Amino acid sequence: MSTQKQADNARSRETKTFDVVVVGAGFAGLYALHRLRGLGLSVRAYDGADGVGGTWWWNRYPGARVDFPSAPFYGYTFSKELLDEFDWEERQPSQPEVLRYLNFVADKLDLRSDIQLSTWIEEAWFDEQAERWHVNTSTGEHLVTPFLLCAMGSLSDTNKPPIRGIDDFAGELYHTGRWPQEDVDFAGKRVGVIGTGSSGIQSIPVIAKQCAHLTVFQRTPQYSIPAGNRPVRPEELSDARENWEQYKANMAVSSLGMPYPMSERSALEDTPEQRDALYERLWQEGGLHMLFNSYFDLLANKEANDTLAEFVRGKIRHIVKDPDTAEKLTPTYILGTKRQVIDDGYFETYNRDNVALVDLKTDPIDHITANSIVTESGEHPLDILVLATGFDAITGTLMRLNPRGRGGVDLEERWQERFNSYLGMMIPGFPNLFMVHGVESPSVLFNMPLGGEREIDWILECILHLRAAGIGTIEPAPGVDKAWSKNVDEAASQTLFHGTDSWYSGANIDGKHRQFIVHLGGQAYFQHLKDIAAGGYEGFVFGPAASEVLEASGG
Ligand code: N01
């Protein structure tokens, strides 16, 4: 829609003004709201869901759990009270548990009065003269604000694969990332799952136990490792509470924001026997430690990586009884360069009589009918189809909103050739629009609650700086985005990530730019953010406050 049409549309709506509008009420949105309110700013958070929680509101598919290691560290770090007063129950908390935590936080911080749920942000455009963002909501409001803070989540724009006939399916169709509120009854049903990323691998064992028959449609096999989930021990909770400062100090130096020291040993320093003994211990223990805390060079050195890849391949062949199925489940890509998956009995599931695997590499889907998936080799009748096919990650949600920045240029046009940003925080030509976990920030490859806190702290400081200095706008200076993209590319090229098709590089969405969109700098990235602020926001340009602009133009 053109800016003029948007403005006409806005005139018929109720107008509300805020110092900051926050989009999203997940981990990041709740924290932003809390901090902004604490600074005395008028702020409101909007979310399309009927409850707080963001990702954890929508992803309620069976088996959904946190993969980050682990409770009680998958949570906010800014408040010791939150840690002290919430008793995490499981080491890899389930989706209902994380949602309970976020609801506890919303209540404890008394956030609900400034959150508007069941409200989608549908349009956003920047009025250059007044230096205000205008926002239309699905509930008929028109919001006006100098600052738009987009905390919309990295993995929220679901990917419905463009398979011929998918809309003809007449059975029950679900996407893991938009799972219904009500329980899905699998009993007695023939179920198909397309996709074997984290969502597929977590849900498949649970669905298999409930349904009559499950067919898994796999395009790429995964190096899934056991989650090792178990109840959190009381002494673990008290240890975290007593030694909180030490854990925070660990997180402050860990390249992934983890609470534990990371290994400084190369996989190639150990003998094969030593390596296998370590891998075996970590396999039994479970969790992402196996990738991140065994050896430091698994994601940087192919030879080192091969040692763990071969260990996991051996486990798959050992667990899965049918050699043909085991072979289809055995991955060959570089371990860890797709998002590492952890599971609860995934490979064991293929030993069940009611589970079949279709390898789409050798037997691709031709089309979907009202009651089946037809692959090259034949028809697979289904009552329920589950799409565990992931997301248009990181860029998808903002692109769907398609805000209009300076000169009426919308984001689709701005990102026509490449997703560009400065610091992963701001987009050239979009003044005062901040992203949290945005494109070219560390987002999904850092402890997300912690990374979100740090990014939001930076944004707040920036807003305070602008207000104190009477500055109207901030935006990236011409050209800095190119240097930033180069920086992101260079960081990725020093790792093994470049060799694999993944959603980190846009490869999962037809027509998406093939570009590595995650900054791998970890701690160094956050230090860089601090340095930029301390140095007077190098790389940004400021605009005078709107009143001065109007005076100068005789307005
Ligand atoms: O999505 P994915 P996800 N035909 O993109 C396949 C986070 N997360 O929802 O690999 C057939 O990883 C696709 O195949 P391929 C986590 O960061 C976290 O599982 O592209 N198959 C793949 O197998 C995670 O990485 C948690 O060849 C098609 C699958 O669908 C991210 O969310 C839990 C296809 C998609 O896997 C996304 O995970 C869940 C097609 N046309 C998610 N299109 C935890 O914290 C796609 N696929 C535990």
Side-chain angles (χ1 to χ4, degrees):
M1 198 187 283
S2 72
T3 308
Q4 186 54 47
K5 276 196 191 139
Q6 282 167 327
D8 291 345
N9 182 1
R11 268 191 280 280
S12 62
R13 291 163 171 254
E14 183 195 357
T15 296
K16 293 179 177 167
T17 58
F18 298 100
D19 291 329
V20 185
V21 166
V22 175
V23 191
F27 259 103
L30 295 180
Y31 178 67
L33 177 58
H34 170 64
R35 290 279 280 118
L36 286 159
R37 270 194 345 188
L39 297 171
L41 299 176
S42 70
V43 53
R44 197 158 178 78
Y46 291 82
D47 200 300
D50 298 335
V52 300
T55 284
W56 294 103
W57 168 267
W58 292 110
N59 285 268
R60 21 181 106 220
Y61 59 83
R65 285 186 186 282
V66 173
D67 59 3
F68 180 79
S70 76
F73 299 109
Y74 186 77
Y76 294 107
T77 67
F78 70 94
S79 158
K80 175 78 172 12
E81 256 184 301
L82 294 179
L83 177 76
D84 287 343
E85 292 180 20
F86 189 84
D87 290 336
W88 288 98
E89 288 172 4
E90 289 187 276
R91 192 171 110 123
Q92 307 297 150
S94 66
Q95 175 270 338
E97 188 173 6
V98 183
L99 199 57
R100 189 164 62 80
Y101 172 75
L102 290 169
N103 275 288
F104 152 77
V105 172
D107 289 331
K108 170 87 189 156
L109 303 177
D110 193 20
L111 299 176
R112 294 192 195 274
S113 56
D114 290 314
I115 301 173
Q116 188 165 322
L117 297 168
S118 315
T119 305
W120 295 100
I121 299 302
E122 295 190 321
E123 296 169 289
W125 69 100
F126 188 67
D127 173 349
E128 290 185 57
Q129 212 180 20
E131 292 174 345
R132 291 290 180 273
W133 279 97
H134 292 256
V135 173
N136 285 343
T137 71
S138 60
T139 44
E141 290 147 304
H142 166 228
L143 317 175
V144 182
T145 178
F147 298 106
L148 193 57
L149 197 158
C150 297
M152 299 145 111
S154 306
L155 297 155
S156 36
D157 190 31
T158 51
N159 171 35
K160 183 175 174 187
I163 301 172
R164 184 160 62 94
I166 195 165
D167 291 326
D168 299 336
F169 187 71
E172 296 168 57
L173 179 68
Y174 303 106
H175 192 291
T176 48
R178 280 284 182 278
W179 202 259
Q181 297 296 302
E182 315 76 48
D183 285 345
V184 174
D185 183 8
F186 293 103
K189 307 269 176 59
R190 297 163 303 177
V191 182
V193 175
I194 304 180
T196 51
S198 302
S199 308
I201 286 180
Q202 287 186 335
S203 57
I204 284 165
V206 184
I207 295 173
K209 285 184 194 139
Q210 297 176 14
C211 69
H213 189 269
L214 172 66
T215 310
V216 177
F217 298 87
Q218 168 196 273
R219 194 163 66 181
T220 308
Q222 288 271 11
Y223 296 94
S224 190
I225 55 183
N229 185 37
R230 56 166 173 74
V232 175
R233 298 183 185 112
E235 59 272 24
E236 287 172 321
L237 270 183
S238 42
D239 169 61
R241 288 167 180 158
E242 278 158 29
N243 299 302
W244 184 228
E245 289 310 317
Q246 182 56 51
Y247 283 116
K248 281 211 301 185
N250 293 348
M251 290 188 213
V253 293
S254 154
S255 59
L256 294 169
M258 301 247 193
Y260 312 105
M262 298 188 49
S263 171
E264 292 177 3
R265 198 167 172 77
S266 162
L268 306 179
E269 283 175 56
D270 277 352
T271 64
E273 293 72 27
Q274 287 170 321
R275 274 195 304 261
D276 281 354
L278 176 63
Y279 290 152
E280 183 60 37
R281 180 170 67 72
L282 294 173
W283 179 273
Q284 297 305 333
E285 233 173 69
L288 288 177
H289 290 292
M290 182 157 221
L291 178 60
F292 297 126
N293 285 1
S294 51
Y295 299 109
F296 79 87
D297 53 353
L298 293 176
L299 288 171
N301 180 327
K302 174 75 167 56
E303 202 185 335
N305 188 290
D306 284 343
T307 64
L308 180 56
E310 197 40 49
F311 176 86
V312 178
R313 286 193 281 257
K315 285 287 183 191
I316 297 169
R317 292 187 191 110
H318 179 73
I319 295 170
V320 180
K321 296 204 173 103
D322 173 47
D324 183 43
T325 306
E327 206 43 48
K328 288 179 186 162
L329 286 166
T330 301
T332 52
Y333 71 91
I334 301 173
L335 182 147
T337 56
K338 280 174 176 283
R339 171 76 175 201
Q340 182 58 44
V341 179
I342 60 174
D343 73 86
D344 188 4
Y346 175 65
F347 293 115
E348 290 82 349
T349 298
Y350 292 92
N351 295 332
R352 295 176 65 95
D353 292 338
N354 70 335
V355 176
L357 176 68
V358 176
D359 176 6
L360 299 180
K361 287 266 163 64
T362 55
D363 186 13
I365 297 176
D366 184 74
H367 65 282
I368 295 179
T369 72
N371 55 10
S372 68
I373 289 185
V374 180
T375 62
E376 252 177 33
S377 71
E379 186 165 11
H380 307 271
L382 300 174
D383 305 304
I384 298 180
L385 175 54
V386 175
L387 302 176
T389 44
F391 303 87
D392 183 350
I394 301 181
T395 55
T397 314
L398 196 55
M399 195 72 141
R400 193 175 286 274
L401 173 61
N402 199 20
R404 237 169 234 280
R406 282 205 191 279
V409 174
D410 64 26
L411 192 60
E412 236 171 62
E413 193 178 342
R414 170 66 58 198
W415 280 352
Q416 206 167 29
E417 287 176 9
R418 193 176 166 83
F419 303 114
N420 60 349
S421 81
Y422 180 45
L423 305 179
M425 286 287 197
M426 299 196 83
I427 305 162
F430 291 75
N432 295 8
L433 183 154
F434 295 99
M435 299 180 285
V436 184
H437 300 309
V439 64
E440 301 184 322
S441 78
S443 62
V444 292
L445 287 173
F446 193 79
N447 174 346
M448 287 194 85
L450 175 63
E453 283 179 23
R454 292 206 182 150
E455 290 185 29
I456 289 161
D457 288 347
W458 188 90
I459 293 167
L460 261 54
E461 201 183 310
C462 177
I463 291 175
L464 289 183
H465 173 77
L466 301 183
R467 287 169 68 100
I471 294 167
T473 57
I474 181 168
E475 61 202 289
V480 289
D481 53 309
K482 290 200 179 61
W484 186 250
S485 283
K486 197 160 165 259
N487 183 311
V488 174
D489 281 344
E490 274 171 11
S493 68
Q494 286 162 24
T495 69
L496 298 172
F497 280 101
H498 258 317
T500 302
D501 281 350
S502 72
W503 57 258
Y504 298 139
S505 57
N508 65 327
I509 302 292
D510 286 350
K512 188 166 177 172
H513 304 319
R514 294 297 291 271
Q515 171 190 344
F516 202 81
I517 50 180
V518 184
H519 193 286
L520 293 176
Q523 285 306 338
Y525 166 88
F526 291 104
Q527 185 56 49
H528 188 64
L529 280 189
K530 278 190 187 161
D531 294 344
I532 291 284
Y537 296 94
E538 190 190 337
F540 287 100
V541 285
F542 297 126
S547 53
E548 292 169 33
V549 177
L550 291 176
E551 261 170 41
S553 65

